[in-house]
C-alpha cells in the first residue's frame, strides 16, 4: 500500500495501471498529469485518477511513486521539469517499450541517474489508445520486465515490483541491452512488418478491392498495424540499432525465401514452413 | 439439390464444404475419395461422407458434381486418372488458392480443358488442417471467387455458384490472372511473412526466451504460420510469379522503412504508420 501515486501521462497504459492499482487497493490517492487537459478531465470523470494538476511539479508533490507513462520521446522533457522538484525519496518508474533510450533520457533530464528510478516495461497492450481504452485487467498474467542499472536502489525496485504484482503481472528482471534486443525481435519487428504490409497493399491500384479479398488471417495479422503511430515512431527512433539489426536478419531470411520460390525449390520451402509451424505450435499453444 | 457429389480429398476445406452442403440439404449422397484411407474412414464415421471408394473412378461414377479439394500440386495426377472415366456431363470444380496453375494442371491431366470445369476459390481457412478440423459454418459469409475461362459452361458455373451459396458464401467472378495477383498480395504474402518471422526468431540464440517475451500481438500475427506447410509449399510453387512480384514490392517498402529508421526520420515514420493505421482501420472494422 502506498499513500500517493502520480501518473504522468493518462493514456491507455497509464490509465490501465491506475485502474488495476485502485481495484487492488494498492494506492491511497492517484494524481494525474498530462499535457492534454481533456484527457485529464476524462480520467477524473471515469474515476481513473482522484485529482489532477496542470503543473508537473504540483502533480508529483508528496508522491511516494511517480509512473512515467508518456511516449518514450517525451521522457527527457518531463524529467527536465521534474529535476528541481521531485523529492529524493520518491520512487520513479516508467512503462516504455525501449529501455536504453529511456535511461539515457532520464539521465539527460535530471543531469544524473536518480537512484530511485526503476526502468520497467509491461509487455501488454492493445491497438486502441487513450484513456477510454484503459482496463483494469490489462496486465493480469502478463510479463513486466524491470531493467535495473548499476546504482538502482534495491528498495525502489522492490516497490515497483510489488506495484506490478498488485496489477496481476509476472515481474522479471533483465539486463537493459538484452531487453532492447529481445523486444526488437518479438515486438518491434512484427509491428513494423504489419505496418509495412498494410502500407504496401494500400498503395496497390485498387486498394478497396485488395482489402475486400483479404482473408481472416489478414485481419489478425495486421491488427497491430492499428496501434498508435506516435508510440511506434518513438520506438523506432529510440531502439534504432536493435531494430535495424532485427530487420536485417529478417530481410536476409525473406531474401532466402524469395530465392527458394524463384528456384522452385519445394524441398527447401517445405522445410522452412514445417520448421516455422513447429516452432509456432510449440511456443504459442 | 444435386443427386450425388464426390469429394476428392477429405481434408479441412473439403470436409467443411460437405458438412455445409449436407446441413443445407443440397446433396443427396456424398461420396469421398482420398489417398489416405484413414482420413476416409474418419470422414465416414463423423458423417462427412456417406460412403467412400478406394479408386477415384469408382468414386466419381454417377456423380453430378465432383469437387477437387486436394493440395494444388495433386490436381494434375488426379485429373490424369479421371481422364477416361469422368462423365462428360459431370461438373468439376476445385478449391485451390491459386487458379492459373490449377487450370494448367487440369488441362495437362485431361489433355484438354473440360467445359464443365469451373475453377473456384473459397477465401476461408483456419490453421488446423485435416478432416477433424472441418466445420459446417466455415464458409458462412465468406467470399468465394470463381474464375471461369473461355469455354467454361455457363450452366456448370451456375451450379457451382449455387453450391457455394448453399454453404453460405458470397460468390463472385473474377479474371483468373487478377485473382492470382490479388491473392498473392492479400493472402500469400502475409502467410510468407508470418512463416519467415517465426523461422527468423526461432534461429535466434535462445528461442525459448524469445518466444516467452512475445506479446499478445505476436500470437495473432504469427497464427497463420501454423497453417499447413504442404499447402503453402504448393501455393508458392504454383503462384510463383505473382508471389515474387508481391514480395518484391514488400521488400522495397521494408527497405524504405529501414532507411527512415537508420536516418532517424521521425516525420517519415509517423506518416508511414499513420497511413497504415488509417487504411487498416478503414477496411478491417
Amino acid at each position: 500500500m502506498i499513500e500517493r501515486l502520480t501518473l504522468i501521462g493518462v493514456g491507455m497504459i497509464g490509465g490501465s495501471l491506475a485502474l488495476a492499482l485502485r481495484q487492488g487497493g494498492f494506492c491511497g490517492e492517484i494524481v494525474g498529469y498530462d499535457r492534454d487537459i481533456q484527457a485529464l478531465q476524462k480520467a477524473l470523470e471515469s474515476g481513473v485518477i482522484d485529482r489532477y494538476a496542470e503543473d508537473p511539479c504540483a502533480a508529483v508533490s508528496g508522491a511516494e511513486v511517480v509512473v512515467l507513462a508518456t511516449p518514450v520521446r517525451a521522457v527527457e522533457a518531463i524529467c527536465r521539469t521534474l529535476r528541481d522538484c521531485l523529492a529524493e525519496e520518491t520512487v520513479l518508474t516508467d512503462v516504455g517499450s525501449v529501455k536504453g533510450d529511456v535511461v539515457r533520457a532520464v539521465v539527460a533530464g535530471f543531469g544524473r541517474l536518480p537512484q530511485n528510478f526503476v526502468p520497467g516495461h509491461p509487455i501488454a497492450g492493445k491497438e486502441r489508445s487513450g484513456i477510454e481504452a484503459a482496463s483494469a485487467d490489462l496486465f493480469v498474467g502478463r510479463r513486466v520486465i524491470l531493467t535495473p542499472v548499476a546504482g538502482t536502489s534495491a528498495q525502489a525496485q522492490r516497490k515497483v515490483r510489488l506495484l506490478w504484482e498488485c496489477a496481476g503481472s509476472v515481474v522479471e528482471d533483465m539486463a537493459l541491452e538484452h531487453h532492447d534486443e529481445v523486444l526488437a525481435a518479438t515486438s518491434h519487428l512484427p509491428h513494423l512488418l504489419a505496418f509495412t504490409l498494410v502500407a504496401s497493399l494500400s498503395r496497390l491500384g485498387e486498394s478497396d478491392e485488395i482489402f475486400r479479398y483479404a482473408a481472416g488471417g489478414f485481419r489478425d495479422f495486421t491488427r497491430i498495424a492499428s496501434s498508435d503511430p506516435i508510440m511506434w515512431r518513438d520506438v523506432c527512433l529510440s531502439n534504432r540499432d536493435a531494430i535495424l539489426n532485427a530487420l536485417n536478419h529478417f530481410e536476409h531470411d525473406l531474401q532466402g525465401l524469395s530465392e527458394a520460390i524463384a528456384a522452385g525449390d519445394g524441398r527447401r520451402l517445405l522445410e522452412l514452413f514445417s520448421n516455422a509451424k513447429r516452432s509456432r505450435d510449440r511456443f504459442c499453444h
Side-chain angles (χ1 to χ4, degrees), chain A residues 40-262:
Chain A
L40 284 171
Q41 273 161 352
K42 276 187 209 156
L44 186 65
E45 284 158 19
S46 53
V48 172
I49 54 176
D50 296 298
R51 63 179 174 88
Y52 65 80
E54 296 188 30
D55 169 68
C57 282
V60 303
S61 171
E64 199 174 326
V65 175
V66 171
V67 178
L68 299 172
T70 65
V72 168
R73 303 299 274 193
V75 168
E76 182 173 335
I78 196 78
C79 287
R80 191 168 295 122
T81 306
L82 298 180
R83 179 177 188 155
D84 296 322
C85 60
L86 189 73
E88 190 64 41
E89 65 274 18
T90 302
V91 171
L92 183 66
T93 188
D94 81 306
V95 300
S97 323
V98 175
K99 302 271 51 92
D101 208 48
V102 164
V103 170
R104 189 203 52 71
V106 170
V107 169
F110 280 98
R112 61 185 174 89
L113 186 67
Q115 283 194 348
N116 280 334
F117 172 58
V118 182
H121 176 209
I123 304 189
K126 45 171 97 171
E127 291 66 44
R128 293 173 54 221
S129 54
I131 188 75
E132 301 87 348
S135 62
D137 60 355
L138 181 66
F139 305 111
V140 175
R142 310 308 295 268
R143 283 170 204 276
V144 171
I145 304 179
L146 304 184
T147 61
V149 291
T152 300
S153 146
Q155 201 185 338
Q157 200 180 327
R158 270 196 302 278
K159 199 171 274 187
V160 173
R161 172 180 282 266
L162 270 177
L163 178 150
W164 285 111
E165 286 174 350
C166 172
S169 305
V170 180
V171 184
E172 300 184 18
D173 297 335
M174 196 186 280
L176 185 145
E177 298 76 16
H178 190 55
H179 168 278
D180 286 359
E181 285 163 12
V182 168
L183 270 289
T186 55
S187 169
H188 309 167
L189 176 60
H191 277 84
L192 297 181
L193 297 179
F195 277 124
T196 305
L197 176 66
V198 172
S200 197
L201 294 196
S202 61
R203 278 199 304 96
L204 288 180
E206 306 164 76
S207 65
D208 279 40
E209 188 198 22
I210 285 288
F211 285 98
R212 192 157 6 112
Y213 294 108
F218 181 83
R219 282 165 198 262
D220 284 348
F221 188 83
T222 59
R223 181 162 297 127
I224 52 180
S226 288
S227 303
D228 182 20
I230 292 177
M231 178 192 149
W232 284 101
R233 176 202 62 191
D234 285 8
V235 166
C236 287
L237 296 175
S238 299
N239 200 21
R240 192 177 70 165
D241 293 345
I243 288 175
L244 286 175
N245 188 39
L247 271 170
N248 227 2
H249 279 284
F250 179 83
E251 282 169 345
H252 176 266
D253 288 341
L254 196 62
Q255 188 55 41
L257 174 66
S258 287
E259 284 165 16
I261 295 173

